[in-house]
């Protein structure tokens, strides 16, 4: 079975450019999470969805970040405009249940903003 | 913060030795999980222990949970070089109904196992 799929795996862009990260959760999973990981701040939850509806976006750093989940099999995280401090590894994860059971992580997108 | 906190931040041992990592958390929980992250990869679930259990085993892994002290430990026995990774604990924070569905991760313990 395919796990969580993220694209691109690596992204290098210049400050001010728009960046779009994509995620395909595991089929049937009803929760989707976007995380950011840096050495300084560790693993941060940015936003998560339940049945395609955003539940908690309090971790989104600022208005430059937005996330959508138009259907159960696809989500995007967009940064516009990007800044060097956005450089990090962004993970998407999904889980299946109404309680906080196991989360399955994608391989991550390594973003470098120059 | 509701995050779990792992201790130590880094651990370096020889192959064959046991590795013990600890986690402390602040809120009531339904369960506690441990995840592993190899360098450059996503986190992978290792083991889940429910709040009404005190100990759980899975292969070379042994997890203990003390809800009175709000702490857990992960023991890896007979470690191997391939166990080198970061290990994270995660809790669900059961007393925060508005955050149903999310996990709270610690900063992780970096384990290095030397051959």
């Amino acid at each position: 079975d395919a796990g969580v799929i993220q694209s691109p795996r690596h992204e290098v862009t210049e400050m001010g450019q728009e960046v779009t990260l994509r995620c395909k959760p595991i089929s049937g999973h009803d929760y989707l999470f976007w995380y950011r990981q840096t050495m300084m701040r560790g693993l941060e939850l940015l936003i998560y969805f339940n049945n395609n509806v955003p539940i908690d976006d309090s971790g989104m750093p600022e208005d430059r970040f937005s996330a959508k989940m138009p259907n159960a099999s696809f989500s995007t995280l967009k940064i516009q405009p990007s800044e060097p401090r956005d450089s990090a590894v962004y993970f998407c994860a999904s889980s299946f249940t109404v309680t906080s059971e196991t989360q399955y992580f994608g391989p991550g997108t390594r973003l470098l903003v120059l | 913060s509701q995050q779990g906190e792992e201790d130590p931040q880094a651990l370096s041992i020889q192959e064959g030795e046991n590795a013990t990592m600890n986690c402390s958390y602040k809120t009531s929980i339904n369960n506690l999980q441990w995840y592993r992250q190899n360098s450059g990869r996503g986190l992978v679930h290792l083991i889940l222990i429910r709040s009404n259990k005190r100990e759980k085993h899975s292969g070379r892994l042994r997890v203990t949970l003390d809800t009175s002290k709000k702490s857990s430990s992960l023991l890896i026995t007979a470690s191997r070089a391939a166990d080198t990774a970061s290990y994270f604990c995660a809790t669900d924070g059961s007393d925060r109904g508005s955050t149903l569905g999310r996990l709270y991760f610690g900063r992780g313990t970096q384990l290095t196992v030397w051959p």
Side-chain angles (χ1 to χ4, degrees):
Chain A
D1 288 341
V4 175
I5 298 172
Q6 290 187 248
S7 66
R9 293 293 310 275
H10 302 272
E11 177 83 23
V12 180
T13 190
E14 293 187 344
M15 183 175 61
Q17 296 297 307
E18 177 179 294
V19 175
T20 300
L21 311 181
R22 298 173 176 79
C23 175
K24 178 179 170 56
I26 293 173
S27 178
H29 280 194
D30 54 352
Y31 278 84
L32 183 140
F33 306 83
W34 281 102
Y35 292 91
R36 177 172 70 176
Q37 187 177 39
T38 61
M39 290 293 291
M40 291 293 294
R41 300 176 69 89
L43 191 67
E44 304 174 274
L45 177 66
L46 300 177
I47 185 171
Y48 75 102
F49 296 83
N50 177 222
N51 292 321
N52 314 337
V53 176
I55 301 301
D56 185 353
D57 65 354
S58 60
M60 296 286 263
E62 46 198 276
D63 292 344
R64 298 184 297 106
F65 285 69
S66 62
K68 295 181 179 179
M69 192 164 186
N71 57 62
S73 60
F74 184 66
S75 178
T76 59
L77 178 67
K78 187 173 294 186
I79 308 173
Q80 167 61 22
S82 59
E83 296 182 3
R85 60 188 167 134
D86 301 331
S87 298
V89 182
Y90 290 81
F91 289 104
C92 176
S94 67
S95 67
F96 172 59
T97 187
V98 295
T99 60
S100 303
E101 302 283 344
T102 300
Q103 291 187 11
Y104 296 83
F105 282 73
T109 295
R110 189 172 296 273
L111 174 65
L112 178 61
V113 183
L114 302 174
Chain B
S1 169
Q2 291 179 293
Q3 285 183 327
E5 294 196 7
E6 291 88 347
D7 171 60
Q9 290 187 354
L11 180 61
S12 184
I13 60 174
Q14 294 291 130
E15 260 189 330
E17 294 180 341
N18 295 341
T20 299
M21 289 158 273
N22 303 297
C23 169
S24 60
Y25 58 92
K26 296 181 179 179
T27 68
S28 298
I29 61 172
N30 289 315
N31 62 68
L32 183 143
Q33 303 179 45
W34 285 91
Y35 286 76
R36 163 189 170 136
Q37 183 180 31
N38 287 79
S39 180
R41 303 289 187 92
L43 279 70
V44 175
H45 176 259
L46 291 177
I47 192 167
L48 179 153
I49 184 167
R50 302 213 181 269
S51 59
N52 61 349
K53 302 296 184 184
R54 292 296 170 257
E55 189 171 308
K56 187 173 182 178
H57 296 255
S58 177
R60 294 186 295 113
L61 303 180
R62 173 178 169 245
V63 172
T64 62
L65 179 63
D66 186 336
T67 52
S68 66
K69 296 181 179 178
K70 291 185 168 57
S71 67
S72 172
S73 67
L74 172 67
L75 169 66
I76 303 175
T77 60
S79 62
R80 307 165 181 169
D83 294 329
T84 295
S86 292
Y87 292 82
F88 296 83
C89 69
T91 58
D92 62 349
S94 69
D95 61 349
R96 296 294 292 268
S98 63
T99 62
L100 187 66
R102 70 168 292 178
L103 293 177
Y104 297 87
F105 286 87
R107 295 296 299 267
T109 291
Q110 173 61 49
L111 173 66
T112 302
V113 182
W114 299 99

